[in-house]
Short mmCIF file of all heavy atoms in Angstrom, two decimals:
data_model
loop_
_atom_site.label_atom_id
_atom_site.label_comp_id
_atom_site.label_asym_id
_atom_site.label_seq_id
_atom_site.Cartn_x
_atom_site.Cartn_y
_atom_site.Cartn_z
N ARG Y 141 10.32 19.69 50.64
CA ARG Y 141 9.69 18.72 51.55
C ARG Y 141 9.24 17.46 50.82
O ARG Y 141 8.42 16.71 51.31
CB ARG Y 141 8.49 19.37 52.26
CG ARG Y 141 8.92 20.43 53.25
CD ARG Y 141 7.74 21.00 53.95
NE ARG Y 141 7.01 21.86 53.00
CZ ARG Y 141 6.08 22.74 53.34
NH1 ARG Y 141 5.72 22.85 54.59
NH2 ARG Y 141 5.49 23.47 52.43
N LYS Y 142 9.80 17.26 49.60
CA LYS Y 142 9.55 16.06 48.78
C LYS Y 142 8.12 15.97 48.26
O LYS Y 142 7.60 14.89 48.04
CB LYS Y 142 9.91 14.77 49.55
CG LYS Y 142 11.30 14.74 50.12
CD LYS Y 142 12.32 14.67 49.02
CE LYS Y 142 13.70 14.50 49.62
NZ LYS Y 142 14.75 15.09 48.90
N ASN Y 143 7.48 17.11 48.09
CA ASN Y 143 6.15 17.13 47.47
C ASN Y 143 6.30 17.33 45.97
O ASN Y 143 7.00 18.24 45.53
CB ASN Y 143 5.29 18.28 48.04
CG ASN Y 143 4.93 18.07 49.48
OD1 ASN Y 143 5.60 18.58 50.36
ND2 ASN Y 143 3.88 17.33 49.73
N SER Y 144 5.62 16.50 45.21
CA SER Y 144 5.56 16.69 43.77
C SER Y 144 4.72 17.94 43.53
O SER Y 144 3.57 18.00 43.97
CB SER Y 144 4.94 15.48 43.10
OG SER Y 144 4.77 15.72 41.73
N THR Y 145 5.29 18.94 42.87
CA THR Y 145 4.62 20.23 42.75
C THR Y 145 4.58 20.69 41.30
O THR Y 145 5.58 20.64 40.60
CB THR Y 145 5.36 21.29 43.60
OG1 THR Y 145 5.46 20.79 44.94
CG2 THR Y 145 4.63 22.61 43.60
N GLU Y 146 3.40 21.13 40.88
CA GLU Y 146 3.23 21.66 39.53
C GLU Y 146 2.70 23.08 39.63
O GLU Y 146 1.92 23.41 40.53
CB GLU Y 146 2.25 20.81 38.73
CG GLU Y 146 2.77 19.42 38.45
CD GLU Y 146 1.85 18.64 37.55
OE1 GLU Y 146 1.42 19.21 36.51
OE2 GLU Y 146 1.55 17.49 37.89
N LEU Y 147 3.13 23.90 38.70
CA LEU Y 147 2.69 25.29 38.63
C LEU Y 147 1.85 25.51 37.39
O LEU Y 147 2.22 25.06 36.31
CB LEU Y 147 3.91 26.23 38.57
CG LEU Y 147 4.79 26.26 39.82
CD1 LEU Y 147 6.11 26.95 39.51
CD2 LEU Y 147 4.07 26.98 40.93
N PHE Y 148 0.73 26.22 37.55
CA PHE Y 148 -0.12 26.58 36.42
C PHE Y 148 -0.44 28.06 36.51
O PHE Y 148 -1.00 28.51 37.51
CB PHE Y 148 -1.43 25.77 36.41
CG PHE Y 148 -1.22 24.34 36.05
CD1 PHE Y 148 -1.16 23.38 37.05
CD2 PHE Y 148 -1.08 23.94 34.73
CE1 PHE Y 148 -0.96 22.05 36.74
CE2 PHE Y 148 -0.88 22.62 34.41
CZ PHE Y 148 -0.81 21.66 35.41
N CYS Y 149 -0.11 28.77 35.45
CA CYS Y 149 -0.43 30.19 35.40
C CYS Y 149 -1.86 30.34 34.89
O CYS Y 149 -2.20 29.87 33.81
CB CYS Y 149 0.55 30.92 34.47
SG CYS Y 149 0.26 32.70 34.40
N LYS Y 150 -2.69 30.98 35.71
CA LYS Y 150 -4.10 31.20 35.36
C LYS Y 150 -4.16 32.38 34.40
O LYS Y 150 -3.61 33.44 34.67
CB LYS Y 150 -4.90 31.49 36.63
CG LYS Y 150 -6.37 31.70 36.40
CD LYS Y 150 -7.13 31.79 37.71
CE LYS Y 150 -6.82 33.13 38.38
NZ LYS Y 150 -7.64 33.40 39.55
N LYS Y 151 -4.81 32.17 33.28
CA LYS Y 151 -4.95 33.22 32.28
C LYS Y 151 -6.00 34.22 32.76
O LYS Y 151 -7.06 33.85 33.23
CB LYS Y 151 -5.35 32.63 30.94
CG LYS Y 151 -4.29 31.69 30.35
CD LYS Y 151 -4.47 31.57 28.88
CE LYS Y 151 -3.50 30.63 28.28
NZ LYS Y 151 -2.14 31.00 28.32
N SER Y 152 -5.65 35.48 32.61
CA SER Y 152 -6.61 36.51 32.99
C SER Y 152 -7.65 36.67 31.88
O SER Y 152 -7.39 36.31 30.73
CB SER Y 152 -5.89 37.86 33.23
OG SER Y 152 -5.25 38.26 32.05
N LYS Y 153 -8.80 37.21 32.23
CA LYS Y 153 -9.85 37.42 31.22
C LYS Y 153 -9.33 38.40 30.18
O LYS Y 153 -8.69 39.38 30.51
CB LYS Y 153 -11.11 37.98 31.88
CG LYS Y 153 -11.78 36.98 32.76
CD LYS Y 153 -13.05 37.55 33.35
CE LYS Y 153 -13.67 36.53 34.27
NZ LYS Y 153 -14.89 37.03 34.88
N GLY Y 154 -9.57 38.06 28.95
CA GLY Y 154 -9.11 38.90 27.86
C GLY Y 154 -7.73 38.50 27.36
O GLY Y 154 -7.31 38.89 26.30
N ASN Y 155 -6.99 37.70 28.12
CA ASN Y 155 -5.67 37.22 27.71
C ASN Y 155 -5.84 35.80 27.17
O ASN Y 155 -5.93 34.86 27.93
CB ASN Y 155 -4.70 37.25 28.89
CG ASN Y 155 -3.30 36.77 28.50
OD1 ASN Y 155 -3.02 36.51 27.32
ND2 ASN Y 155 -2.43 36.68 29.48
N THR Y 156 -5.88 35.67 25.87
CA THR Y 156 -6.08 34.35 25.27
C THR Y 156 -4.79 33.72 24.82
O THR Y 156 -4.75 32.60 24.37
CB THR Y 156 -7.05 34.44 24.07
OG1 THR Y 156 -6.50 35.34 23.11
CG2 THR Y 156 -8.43 34.87 24.51
N GLY Y 157 -3.71 34.43 24.83
CA GLY Y 157 -2.45 33.89 24.33
C GLY Y 157 -1.56 33.60 25.43
O GLY Y 157 -0.74 32.91 25.68
#
Side-chain angles (χ1 to χ4, degrees):
R141 291 182 287 195
K142 307 292 186 212
N143 292 96
S144 174
T145 306
E146 294 185 48
L147 293 167
F148 289 99
C149 182
K150 182 172 73 172
K151 297 202 182 294
S152 61
K153 291 182 182 179
N155 181 6
T156 58

